[in-house]
Amino acid sequence: TNSEPNQARIQARDVEKWFGNFAALKGVSADIQEGEVVVVLGPSGSGKSTFIRCINQLEEHEVGTIIVDGIEINDDSRNLQKIRSEVGMVFQQFNLFPHLTVLDNVALAPRKVKKMPKAEAEELAMAGLTRDGIPEQAEKFPTQLSGGQQQRVAIARAIVTNPVLLLADEPSANLDSQTTQSLIQVFKDLNESLGITILAATHDPLVMSYSDRQVQMRD
């Protein structure tokens, strides 16, 4: 990676994102340091999910700069491809492909992003499912799993390409508190064992309690 000691993993400066006349983000600045677990807080509509999605350009910001791991996110497709290979993303709705098995869902990223051979990608995917505690679910389809199991599959998919940064958009919104506790344990392990920086948009106090720091969205 391009990271040096004390260099922020994410640097956002005066970021703006507009939907027509509505400012979803206006003048947002934040530094997320390497190895931190940071939660973005704010009421519904305050832009916390939009901010997360701008970091890997699922939404494009119009104003300001976002630098991830020393690379500025802009219209350069090579930069975007590099960022996406270093950044994992976990969604509120899991976003798994229902027609693919759990193993195929997780193996898809290394096959597509890193052009890895099928057998090698599946081996890597199986290692990720084992790390997340669900290797026995490999041949099932997502609809056969509980919400907590689906989110673990989504996490395994997000980290299978060995990212330095994990973004999570309301990762516990559809989970009960007991399942959320086990999800936090997975995040904790990823952060402490693998050194993955985690940035999560959430209003869940359980997730907040684990974070190193909170970033509050104003207005």
Side-chain angles (χ1 to χ4, degrees):
T1 72
N2 295 329
S3 264
E4 298 168 3
N6 303 320
Q7 179 186 358
R9 190 63 88 183
I10 303 169
Q11 295 171 290
R13 291 289 177 274
D14 303 316
V15 174
E16 293 188 14
K17 169 66 187 173
W18 294 77
F19 295 103
N21 293 323
F22 173 69
L25 298 173
K26 197 168 183 184
V28 174
S29 297
D31 282 358
I32 312 301
Q33 303 300 328
E34 183 177 352
E36 277 195 306
V37 178
V38 177
V39 159
V40 185
L41 302 176
S44 184
S46 63
K48 59 185 184 296
S49 290
T50 302
F51 179 57
I52 293 275
R53 294 169 71 87
C54 281
I55 291 168
N56 65 354
Q57 291 293 272
L58 290 175
E59 300 284 358
E60 292 183 24
H61 61 291
E62 285 91 13
V63 178
T65 59
I66 300 175
I67 297 170
V68 178
D69 213 22
I71 303 165
E72 183 171 353
I73 297 175
N74 50 34
D75 293 334
D76 188 330
S77 59
R78 290 166 303 176
N79 280 2
L80 186 55
Q81 187 65 22
K82 182 153 176 37
I83 290 298
R84 285 188 174 160
S85 73
E86 293 194 5
V87 178
M89 180 90 187
V90 178
F91 301 88
Q92 178 179 341
Q93 303 294 345
F94 317 135
N95 287 18
L96 300 171
F97 290 109
H99 65 289
L100 296 179
T101 65
V102 163
L103 186 67
D104 287 339
N105 263 284
V106 179
L108 198 59
R111 290 182 66 188
K112 296 291 185 187
V113 176
K114 305 232 167 168
K115 311 299 182 194
M116 199 176 281
K118 185 173 187 284
E120 192 181 338
E122 287 181 352
E123 191 178 331
L124 202 60
M126 200 65 205
L129 292 172
T130 302
R131 168 176 278 281
D132 282 359
I134 48 169
E136 72 286 352
Q137 309 297 343
E139 297 307 321
K140 290 185 181 178
F141 290 89
T143 52
Q144 296 174 285
L145 305 184
S146 68
Q149 289 169 331
Q150 288 188 61
Q151 193 60 293
R152 281 175 181 249
V153 174
I155 292 169
R157 179 188 57 186
I159 65 155
V160 72
T161 54
N162 198 27
V164 295
L165 170 65
L166 181 64
L167 304 174
D169 185 8
E170 299 280 8
S172 63
N174 295 317
L175 308 176
D176 60 40
S177 60
Q178 188 173 353
T179 310
T180 297
Q181 287 279 19
S182 66
L183 182 72
I184 290 169
Q185 195 56 49
V186 173
F187 282 146
K188 194 171 181 180
D189 181 48
L190 295 176
N191 175 249
E192 293 176 359
S193 302
L194 301 181
I196 295 177
T197 306
I198 298 174
L199 179 65
T202 189
H203 58 270
D204 190 323
L206 284 174
V207 180
M208 284 181 229
S209 67
Y210 167 57
S211 64
D212 298 313
R213 198 157 54 90
Q214 290 95 39
V215 174
Q216 179 75 43
M217 301 296 270
R218 284 194 317 223
D219 307 321

